[in-house]
């Protein structure tokens, strides 16, 4: 990650009040070791679960509604911000307009970070909070200090500037709310000017269901279906590790290479059907992938979970009686059962 621009502004607002004050830093923060370390912490927190994705309603901006896309269109040219401090100050002033009507919301530190990664330009806008801590002076006496809270992000936004500027129809905006209440998440979405935000976990679950529906439509036997689901899972895991969006066409390419172009087209047809209406690109939530390769269920008295490729091998299912027969039990479970039977 190569940081191009970095600046922090402060918005002062107390919970229960409507009045907010913007304290704008006049110049950019220096990109030193501390800034780089903090930027890495922000990135690691951002890439945890709970991400949403979207795109601008008006990519080039308009006089009405959110002004963020219009400010970007004005200030970001040729992969560079001519006046990053001015751009961020205008953004912070716009943010303040959406924040003030929400009495429950508090102010904080607005972090703006323009960086480049793999020839792609990104912009972070993150709301950070201060917290009180205890420091130890040179004479080993205790004192109360203020520091930036880095255990969690309250609200954060990342825009793929390269994709947005090229007119990409994908979901080039990624954002997360942390544990912000609904009233705060709503004003943050309005500030962004985001079109139909999608939760990554929900979109990943749709992909899992789509994969199962495709296997069922093609009549794949269990072993073949499980092998294909494992391939899809591994492809998705790799995208999640690289923090890159997954294009649905990539899965269709896997179908074509393993089966046929006709079946790849069938996969895309199901993806585009009313039952799924998959986006062209999605961000993968790793935890939501489990159902691709595992079967699980629970009741008040029983919890059962196993890899789907065991079905037909050490786990056999009788559809007529609705029963499972399990062989090759885990040694620890087998030992417990044997001790109880003695």
């Amino acid at each position: 990650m190569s940081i191009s621009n970095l600046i922090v502004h402060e918005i002062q607002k107390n919970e229960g009040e409507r009045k907010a004050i913007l304290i704008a830093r006049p110049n950019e923060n220096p990109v030193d070791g501390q800034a780089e370390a903090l930027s890495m912490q922000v990135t690691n927190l951002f890439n945890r679960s709970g991400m949403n994705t979207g795109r601008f309603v008006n990519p080039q901006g308009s006089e009405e509604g959110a002004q963020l896309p219009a400010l970007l269109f004005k200030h970001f040219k040729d992969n560079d911000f001519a006046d990053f401090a001015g751009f961020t100050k205008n953004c912070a002033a716009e943010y303040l307009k959406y924040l003030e009507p929400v009495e429950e919301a508090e102010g904080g530190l607005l972090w703006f970070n323009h960086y480049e990664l793999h020839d792609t330009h990104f912009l972070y806008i993150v709301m950070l909070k201060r917290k009180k801590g205890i420091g130890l002076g040179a004479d080993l006496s205790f004192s109360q200090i203020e520091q930036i809270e880095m255990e969690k992000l309250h609200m954060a936004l990342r825009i793929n500037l390269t994709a947005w500027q090229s007119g990409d129809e994908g979901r080039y905006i990624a954002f997360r709310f942390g544990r912000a209440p609904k009233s705060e998440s709503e004003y943050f979405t309005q500030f962004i000017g985001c079109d139909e935000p999608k939760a990554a976990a929900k979109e990943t679950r749709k992909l899992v269901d789509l994969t199962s529906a495709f296997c069922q439509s093609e009549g794949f036997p269990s072993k073949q279906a499980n092998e294909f689901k494992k391939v899809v899972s591994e492809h998705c895991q790799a995208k999640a590790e690289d923090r890159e969006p997954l294009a649905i066409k990539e899965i269709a390419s896997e179908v074509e290479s393993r089966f046929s172009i006709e079946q790849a087209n069938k996969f895309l047809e199901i993806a585009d059907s009313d039952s799924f209406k998959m986006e062209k690109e999605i961000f993968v939530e790793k935890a939501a992938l489990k159902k691709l390769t595992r079967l699980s269920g629970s009741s008040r008295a029983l919890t059962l979970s196993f890899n789907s490729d065991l079905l037909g091998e050490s786990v056999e299912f009788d559809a007529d009686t609705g029963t499972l027969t399990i062989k090759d039990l885990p040694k620890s479970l087998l030992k417990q059962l044997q001790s109880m039977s003695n």
Side-chain angles (χ1 to χ4, degrees):
M1 178 192 295
S2 175
I3 300 176
S4 302
N5 309 95
L6 174 65
I7 196 168
V8 179
H9 302 300
E10 182 173 9
I11 293 180
Q12 294 182 345
K13 179 181 179 298
N14 297 320
E15 183 179 357
E17 298 179 0
R18 286 180 175 264
K19 182 64 176 177
I21 299 172
L22 171 62
I23 300 176
R25 180 182 169 90
N27 304 310
E28 295 181 34
N29 291 77
V31 181
D32 53 18
Q34 288 181 319
E36 290 177 344
L38 189 56
S39 180
M40 187 59 67
Q41 285 182 275
V42 168
T43 299
N44 291 337
L45 287 170
F46 187 84
N47 287 312
R48 290 180 179 177
S49 60
M51 191 180 296
N52 297 270
T53 61
R55 60 177 72 85
F56 290 131
V57 175
N58 297 305
Q60 296 183 357
S62 64
E63 293 183 2
E64 297 181 357
Q67 293 302 297
L68 177 57
L71 289 170
L72 278 172
F73 189 74
K74 177 182 178 182
H75 289 273
F76 187 68
K77 306 287 185 182
D78 299 321
N79 294 326
D80 189 27
F81 285 93
D83 180 9
F84 190 70
F87 160 73
T88 60
K89 183 178 179 180
N90 289 335
C91 284
E94 284 296 318
Y95 182 88
L96 187 145
K97 292 178 184 178
Y98 288 93
L99 172 71
E100 280 191 319
V102 185
E103 292 187 0
E104 303 92 333
E106 295 180 330
L109 305 172
L110 269 182
W111 160 285
F112 293 84
N113 180 9
H114 167 219
Y115 68 93
E116 184 179 358
L117 181 65
H118 304 316
D119 296 323
T120 302
H121 290 260
F122 294 89
L123 174 69
Y124 269 130
I125 303 178
V126 181
M127 170 60 80
L128 299 172
K129 301 283 187 178
R130 297 181 190 270
K131 71 172 185 178
K132 295 186 182 299
I134 297 177
L136 198 61
D139 61 350
L140 302 183
S141 62
F142 295 109
S143 61
Q144 197 169 68
I145 61 173
E146 273 198 343
Q147 59 193 67
I148 299 175
E149 185 179 52
M150 291 306 301
E151 291 80 13
K152 59 185 177 181
L153 294 183
H154 292 267
M155 288 179 287
L157 158 71
R158 184 184 65 202
I159 304 171
N160 184 327
L161 296 171
T162 302
W164 161 74
Q165 197 168 57
S166 67
D168 195 318
E169 294 183 358
R171 308 186 76 79
Y172 45 78
I173 300 174
F175 57 100
R176 46 181 296 124
F177 302 127
R179 296 183 178 179
K182 185 178 179 181
S183 58
E184 292 194 36
S185 61
E186 284 180 349
Y187 88 70
F188 192 62
T189 306
Q190 292 168 0
F191 159 72
I192 299 169
C194 180
D195 179 25
E196 298 180 1
K198 302 285 187 181
K202 184 177 180 180
E203 292 297 293
T204 304
R205 287 193 291 269
K206 282 173 62 177
L207 176 61
V208 170
D209 293 341
L210 165 62
T211 305
S212 297
F214 169 72
C215 291
Q216 187 174 3
S217 72
E218 298 305 292
F220 292 159
S222 295
K223 185 175 182 179
Q224 190 177 28
N226 288 334
E227 288 175 351
F228 177 64
K229 290 177 181 179
K230 186 177 180 180
V231 168
V232 174
S233 177
E234 290 173 350
H235 195 94
C236 290
Q237 293 276 1
K239 287 292 183 180
E241 290 292 336
D242 293 338
R243 303 181 181 116
E244 294 179 352
L246 168 76
I248 299 302
K249 283 188 176 180
E250 293 177 49
I251 304 300
S253 295
E254 295 282 358
V255 175
E256 182 177 346
S257 64
R258 283 167 171 72
F259 306 112
S260 69
I261 189 171
E262 289 79 16
Q263 286 169 300
N265 290 332
K266 181 66 176 296
F267 178 85
L268 291 174
E269 182 182 318
I270 297 174
D272 198 42
S273 67
D274 290 339
S275 298
F276 293 98
K277 293 183 178 179
M278 293 293 301
E279 295 287 336
K280 293 181 180 179
E281 289 185 347
I282 67 169
F283 280 89
V284 174
E285 186 80 49
K286 291 171 69 173
L289 287 172
K290 290 182 180 179
K291 286 189 177 181
L292 266 179
T293 55
R294 290 190 69 81
L295 298 171
S296 62
S298 63
S299 63
R300 296 180 69 179
L302 175 67
T303 297
L304 190 62
S305 176
F306 57 90
N307 286 348
S308 57
D309 56 7
L310 295 179
L311 198 62
E313 301 292 332
S314 58
V315 179
E316 295 181 359
F317 175 60
D318 188 328
D320 295 329
T321 60
T323 58
L324 278 178
T325 301
I326 304 175
K327 307 172 187 176
D328 300 328
L329 294 175
K331 290 182 180 180
S332 58
L333 176 59
L334 183 60
K335 187 176 181 179
Q336 292 178 63
L337 292 172
Q338 288 173 336
S339 65
M340 291 177 66
S341 63
N342 293 332

